[in-house]
Amino acid sequence: MIINILAAGGTAAAENQFGLQQALKEGGIISQSVFTILVVMSVVSFYILFSKLFEQQKIINQAKRVRSNFWNSTSLREGSAKLEKNSAYKQLVDDGLAAQEQHSKLTDPVEAHDWLHGSLARSEAAINSKLGGGLAFLATVGATSPFIGLFGTVVGIYRALIKIGASGDPSIDKVAGPVGEALIMTALGLVVAVPAVLAYNWLQRRNKSIAEDLSAFSNDVLGFLASNGAVRPAIGATTATAKAPVKPTTATTTAGQTGGVQTRP
């Protein structure tokens, strides 16, 4: 039994002589450095992907709560109190209210609409900038990791050619290790690049949708502030208003009365 186990272990070791570990050992410090860089890129890319998805989903859930109960409030301060402490929408409302208070303290004559619009735009840009954090790294990984893997490929093929030239024997056992290492580096570069590109495009699309919702909400807040609460989004027409009978206008009533009067000669 022990002999069989040792024989099986020896066979596995022989079969694994062209595995990843052996390829990295064959490639030396250059291949090991390339492999480490690609692994770090992949780990950070997936960390950014999941953290950004969590952050985006949080804002999407906040938008649903804003649409459901925010505009039922009598004032922006009351509506702001209903929102979460670190909500992106609460930040917009609070910045709008702060800008309204600051406008009364300005010594230079500035239109209230322009001042409020600029303040809300800055707040909106800050939120979008935070949402876009980390996406540049994903784009960089997607653009550079194939070339980093290709660098490992070039080094591997170069080592294979050196072995052939030094030994003068172009047999498969002389070049299999370096060529296998080269192919592994190429594959790793693609494995790291493709998820990073897909994640970047997906997160960018979700950020665009969130930015559109924030822009619409910012415009509603601006209208509310500029009209002292007279302008607000329509929450929905009530059934009573929709079914209310339409009274005849004054012009129609007068016309009916005139049509019924006979003129004496």
Side-chain angles (χ1 to χ4, degrees):
M1 176 67 70
I2 297 176
I3 296 175
N4 292 334
I5 294 175
L6 292 176
T11 304
E15 291 176 352
N16 198 32
Q17 61 179 335
F18 299 117
L20 176 61
Q21 185 177 0
Q22 183 64 27
L24 293 176
K25 183 179 180 181
E26 182 76 21
I29 188 63
I30 295 179
S31 295
Q32 294 168 12
S33 300
V34 169
F35 178 79
T36 303
I37 291 172
L38 291 175
V39 169
V40 171
M41 282 184 167
S42 180
V43 170
V44 176
S45 296
F46 278 101
Y47 171 78
I48 292 174
L49 170 62
F50 290 117
S51 61
K52 286 299 173 183
L53 284 176
F54 175 78
E55 186 178 359
Q56 289 175 342
Q57 191 59 46
K58 184 178 179 181
I59 296 182
I60 291 172
N61 293 336
Q62 292 170 0
K64 294 178 182 178
R65 288 190 288 270
V66 166
R67 285 192 292 266
S68 63
N69 59 12
F70 179 81
W71 292 110
N72 292 327
S73 307
T74 57
S75 66
L76 289 182
R77 294 192 184 277
E78 180 183 343
S80 176
K82 297 179 180 179
L83 301 177
E84 298 177 13
K85 182 179 180 181
N86 296 323
S87 169
Y89 292 88
K90 180 178 177 63
Q91 178 180 334
L92 280 174
V93 175
D94 292 344
D95 289 344
L97 292 171
Q100 189 179 42
E101 295 176 356
Q102 292 168 358
H103 181 262
S104 60
K105 302 176 183 179
L106 297 178
T107 55
D108 254 352
V110 179
E111 288 289 338
H113 177 274
D114 295 338
W115 177 258
L116 292 173
H117 182 270
S119 299
L120 289 172
R122 287 194 300 271
S123 180
E124 188 180 340
I127 297 172
N128 291 331
S129 177
K130 183 179 179 181
L131 283 173
L135 298 189
F137 181 84
L138 292 179
T140 302
V141 170
T144 60
S145 57
F147 297 101
I148 296 175
L150 185 60
F151 174 73
T153 301
V154 171
V155 172
I157 294 176
Y158 174 74
R159 292 177 62 86
L161 295 175
I162 291 296
K163 280 194 172 185
I164 293 173
S167 63
D169 180 17
S171 59
I172 189 64
D173 59 332
K174 298 294 182 182
V175 299
V179 171
E181 167 218 330
L183 296 176
I184 289 175
M185 292 298 111
T186 302
L188 283 176
L190 295 176
V191 166
V192 173
V194 172
V197 172
L198 294 177
Y200 174 81
N201 291 331
W202 188 26
L203 294 176
Q204 279 282 57
R205 181 64 189 89
R206 287 166 63 91
N207 276 350
K208 183 179 179 182
S209 177
I210 292 173
E212 291 172 355
D213 290 340
L214 288 173
S215 179
F217 181 75
S218 175
N219 187 65
D220 293 336
V221 171
L222 176 62
F224 189 96
L225 291 172
S227 63
N228 290 326
V231 176
R232 65 170 65 202
I235 302 173
T238 59
T239 307
T241 304
K243 295 184 178 180
V246 180
K247 296 181 179 180
T249 60
T250 306
T252 305
T253 306
T254 306
Q257 291 177 354
T258 305
V261 176
Q262 295 182 357
T263 305
R264 295 182 179 179

